[in-house]
Amino acid sequence: MDHCKAEISRVLAPLTKMEASRIAGLLEEPPSPELGDLAFPCFILAGQWKKSPAEIAADLGRALAGRRGECWERAEARGPYLNFYLNYPLFIRDVLKRIYEAGPDYGRSDRGQGGVIVIDYSSPNICKPFGIGHIRSTVIGHALCLILEAMGYRTIGINHLGDWGTQFGKMIVAYERWGEDEKLYQDPVNYLYYLYVRFHQEAEENEALEEEARAWFKRLEDGEEAAVNYWKLFRRLSLENYEQIYDLLGIKFDYYHGESHYNDMLDDVIRMVQEKGVAVESEGALIVDLEKYGLPPAMLRKKDGATLYLTRDLAAAMYRHRTFNFVKALYVVGAEQKLHFQQMVKILELLGFPWAQDCIHVPFGLIRFKEGRMSTREGKMILLEEVLRRAINLAREIIEEKNPDLADKESAAKMVGLGAVRFGDLSNDRVKDIEFDWDKVLDFSGETAAYIQYAHARICSILRRGGSALPEWSEEAVAALGREEEKALVKTLAAYPGKIEASAASYRPSILARYLIDVARDFNRFYHECPVLVDNPQLRQARLLLILAVRQVIKNGLGLLGIAAPEEM
Ligand code: ARG
């Protein structure tokens, strides 16, 4: 479509006395095929030409009467628009050929030229629950890694584990008092969380506990062996558990640089903010006044000398820039931390780092699990693992019912179940709060991963029935395509690279996710009207090539969302 836009813009430039590049940006896709495929809105010239948009459209239409270009076959005025009709035989051939030739690379580009994008995502807190926010961060962050890679960036995924802080003092106290090794090794994440909750309960009655916890944390900060060994144990066991989940999801981080990674860089940060006069001492604490910028003051060191989450993030940003020389550093973190990241960027700016603006908070809203199949009583944490297992089980039940003869139900259930969780999240604009409804996310005919996966499996099945070998490319064959449903489908397939670009540019995997629903829907419409395995050999080959292209786009697109495309389900 882009090169059609370019061609049409070149034709219109002399007639409108506008820059071709400007025209290309104005061309719109009309809402229905009778109105053509690309439309130039004439409002834009009305002031200058002192005519109504409709008159201008008519003038332009007359000027182009009887003319055609390479990729358009006619132009017609309709109301205030000048509508261009594509040269479909050529368009269909070009699009399908491109997909056929590029295969798994269709949609990828080298736009990013290997520039490094650091993506900070997932980042759970050890000893605290792997909460919903972390689920969203995991799924969105991973999709962004994949999408930005497809745009030619080099991504570096960092898990900024919450692996330092006073909670470790509390955990050690709790463990010393009530901990049992066996339980810890059995189910570390839940058990640590249990101890964490118990600490807080008991501390309400017994004030001495908080004091003890502070003392243990101090011993940890001083590097005392007993404390460090506890910390290492809790961290290692938690991490092993997280890694099982990440494995199940096919996620690999380049680094587990948790907050503790920056411990020995904090003095430098403190020195720097003091030397540059960015922070001031106030009653023993170190504060950055951000009032001028409409932000509340930021504390970088408490009066007892302890550093904060923000101090660590400043150290992390500097470390990342120094180490990876990123073009962008993304923070896939819930919207509730907006202020934190505004303060971070502002302080980096005040410190004079020109790259401060390249640190971007990619926020997301809350997710709520609808009551029903999985109850989420107040205070009960939701483990990502539990959600995933639940989804796989439900998918298995549905598959048992729909397709009892399927050979490998287990792997299909995994693909469908994990896909449902991911897509349930990714198909919503990330900034909105979402409600996760088990019935909806696994609905095979709704706006779900299963709906798209099902289209993919269906195509695989048609291709299998169509013969043992995949169809060969043939320009003559695809000339047989031209029905409305076929044209619409090809047009949708042509939009794929642009959707990846748009997703990457706005850090919104939802654009790609919603697009894939359109692909599946257009495919279903086509298939409803146009049988593929017909007797006419040319038409049969043409339609096989068309569905092969659909399959490729679905597979590539789901792949960028981290979702598998099953061949059978
Ligand atoms: N551990 C934090 C939390 O759970 C998220 C960390 C996000 N990344 C960062 N660099 N601050 O809230």
Side-chain angles (χ1 to χ4, degrees), residues 120 123-125 134 160 162 309 313 320 331 333 337 340-341:
D120 176 320
S123 311
N125 301 318
H134 302 113
H160 190 80
Y309 181 53
D313 258 327
R320 288 171 190 177
Y331 296 81
V333 185
Q337 294 192 28
H340 166 78
F341 288 106

Side-chain angles (χ1 to χ4, degrees), residues 396-424:
R396 192 185 302 109
E397 282 170 26
I398 298 173
I399 291 169
E400 295 274 4
E401 189 191 303
K402 286 198 189 261
N403 191 358
D405 301 327
L406 182 64
D408 189 356
K409 290 200 194 81
E410 209 37 52
S411 75
K414 212 173 126 185
M415 294 190 214
V416 172
L418 297 178
V421 173
R422 284 191 137 121
F423 200 84

Side-chain angles (χ1 to χ4, degrees), residues 145-422:
C145 284
L146 297 166
I147 290 169
L148 291 165
E149 287 275 340
M151 288 294 293
Y153 292 96
R154 189 159 82 82
T155 63
I156 295 191
I158 299 184
N159 195 324
H160 190 80
L161 289 172
D163 65 356
W164 201 255
T166 48
Q167 76 264 29
F168 284 93
K170 299 176 183 175
M171 286 312 304
I172 297 174
V173 172
Y175 201 77
E176 288 255 296
R177 289 182 173 243
W178 316 298
E180 290 170 54
D181 286 355
E182 205 182 312
K183 289 190 178 156
L184 176 67
Y185 284 96
Q186 228 168 41
D187 188 3
V189 172
N190 271 315
Y191 192 60
L192 289 172
Y193 181 56
Y194 155 78
L195 289 174
Y196 180 80
V197 171
R198 178 151 176 199
F199 177 91
H200 287 274
Q201 282 164 354
E202 306 237 355
E204 277 184 22
E205 321 276 283
N206 180 357
E207 279 171 28
L209 287 181
E210 293 281 0
E211 208 37 63
E212 251 178 74
R214 259 191 293 279
W216 267 109
F217 184 57
K218 177 91 178 55
R219 292 167 72 181
L220 181 59
E221 289 211 292
D222 294 342
E224 231 183 76
E225 200 179 327
V228 171
N229 283 343
Y230 271 126
W231 173 77
K232 280 192 181 152
L233 178 69
F234 297 158
R235 186 183 190 276
R236 177 172 64 79
L237 292 176
S238 301
L239 207 53
E240 278 170 11
N241 179 279
Y242 299 151
E243 279 190 311
Q244 282 174 17
I245 305 171
Y246 296 138
D247 271 354
L248 183 62
L249 288 170
I251 295 177
K252 270 204 173 344
F253 290 90
D254 294 289
Y255 299 97
Y256 285 91
H257 284 166
E259 293 189 41
S260 70
H261 184 75
Y262 306 98
N263 278 347
D264 52 12
M265 304 175 205
L266 299 173
D267 287 347
D268 284 345
V269 172
I270 297 290
R271 197 172 318 119
M272 191 186 295
V273 289
Q274 285 177 318
E275 275 171 13
K276 300 209 176 177
V278 168
V280 292
E281 298 270 348
S282 160
E283 295 167 39
L286 193 63
I287 308 274
V288 187
D289 178 8
L290 297 171
E291 204 188 332
K292 261 196 269 174
Y293 313 102
L295 294 169
M299 190 187 291
L300 297 183
R301 198 194 58 214
K302 295 192 201 166
K303 55 172 181 285
D304 64 4
T307 50
L308 292 100
Y309 181 53
L310 180 57
T311 328
R312 289 165 197 287
D313 258 327
L314 290 170
M318 293 179 209
Y319 168 83
R320 288 171 190 177
H321 193 264
R322 193 163 69 231
T323 312
F324 307 115
N325 192 22
F326 57 71
V327 296
K328 291 273 186 293
L330 309 184
Y331 296 81
V332 186
V333 185
E336 69 284 354
Q337 294 192 28
K338 180 168 173 210
L339 198 56
H340 166 78
F341 288 106
Q342 285 177 327
Q343 291 177 318
M344 181 190 85
V345 169
K346 190 39 94 184
I347 295 172
L348 291 169
E349 236 175 78
L350 295 174
L351 288 171
F353 294 116
W355 47 265
Q357 291 303 326
D358 299 322
C359 296
I360 295 164
H361 179 204
V362 178
F364 50 79
L366 298 172
I367 181 172
R368 232 165 45 82
F369 282 74
K370 202 174 164 199
E371 289 295 315
R373 300 208 200 198
M374 187 168 120
S375 106
T376 57
R377 272 169 291 119
E378 267 281 280
K380 182 182 172 289
M381 69 164 152
I382 295 181
L383 284 174
L384 177 51
E385 201 181 343
E386 224 173 294
V387 173
L388 297 179
R389 212 177 298 126
R390 178 92 200 140
I392 295 171
N393 289 339
L394 286 173
R396 192 185 302 109
E397 282 170 26
I398 298 173
I399 291 169
E400 295 274 4
E401 189 191 303
K402 286 198 189 261
N403 191 358
D405 301 327
L406 182 64
D408 189 356
K409 290 200 194 81
E410 209 37 52
S411 75
K414 212 173 126 185
M415 294 190 214
V416 172
L418 297 178
V421 173
R422 284 191 137 121

